[in-house]
Amino acid sequence: MDYHLIACSGARTYNVLSKVQKNGGELPQIQQGYLDENTTLVTISVGGNDSRFADTVQKCLLSFGDGSCKNKAFDKPDEDVHGRDQKFVGQPLETAVPGIINEIVRPDITQTLFQIHSLARNAKIVLMGYPPLISDHGSCLTSASSACPP
């Protein structure tokens, strides 16, 4: 078995496809030469960073005790998505994050999967999910002892 782990912490879909990641200088994963007709399995977790997961969690943690963080404003657009997230600036996280996921992240993940398939036509491609960390639109942060899921 020939195995290559080319995961890159903090990467977004554009880092997988074409843009060198700022914090590592590593070539985009799709350009590293591991995907070809002999590839039989590709597993990928992507989308969490695209959906601004870290920024959202940070906002929620910083607003601990103020109630739910769902009304905090989205205020960190990403110039690398070419303005596609500008319409969400100023919107509450409750609407901005699902909007970013549906209008930007989902199409970008789809494009990423198609690009992987174009290079590794014989591979089974498995898109790995993320565990649910916050339930009920952030309400678990209002009471750290009782509202968080086990």
Side-chain angles (χ1 to χ4, degrees), residues 36-146:
D36 61 25
E37 67 280 351
N38 297 313
T39 305
T40 57
L41 177 65
V42 175
T43 60
I44 185 169
S45 294
V46 67
N49 296 315
D50 296 83
S51 64
R52 313 320 196 310
F53 176 75
D55 293 335
T56 301
V57 169
Q58 182 179 22
K59 272 190 181 291
C60 289
L61 290 173
L62 291 174
S63 68
F64 184 78
D66 293 341
S68 177
C69 59
K70 66 184 179 181
N71 293 321
K72 300 294 180 186
F74 171 72
D75 60 1
K76 290 193 177 181
D78 178 0
E79 75 256 6
D80 290 318
V81 297
H82 311 292
R84 295 183 295 154
D85 60 357
Q86 282 296 321
K87 76 184 223 179
F88 301 106
V89 173
Q91 289 186 19
L93 293 176
E94 182 177 35
T95 56
V97 173
I100 290 168
I101 290 170
N102 289 320
E103 295 181 30
I104 299 171
V105 179
R106 182 174 290 161
D108 288 356
I109 290 172
T110 301
Q111 178 188 12
T112 300
L113 296 174
F114 279 128
Q115 289 293 319
I116 291 168
H117 178 69
S118 74
L119 295 173
R121 292 219 171 262
N122 299 317
K124 179 177 184 178
I125 302 169
V126 181
L127 178 62
M128 309 297 285
Y130 295 95
L133 300 176
I134 300 174
S135 66
D136 195 26
H137 303 291
S139 68
C140 98
L141 295 176
T142 61
S143 172
S145 63
S146 63

Side-chain angles (χ1 to χ4, degrees), residues 21-37:
Q21 194 171 345
K22 292 176 186 172
N23 65 353
E26 184 176 334
L27 276 177
Q29 287 94 331
I30 204 165
Q31 296 176 14
Q32 292 183 18
Y34 296 115
L35 299 175
D36 61 25
E37 67 280 351

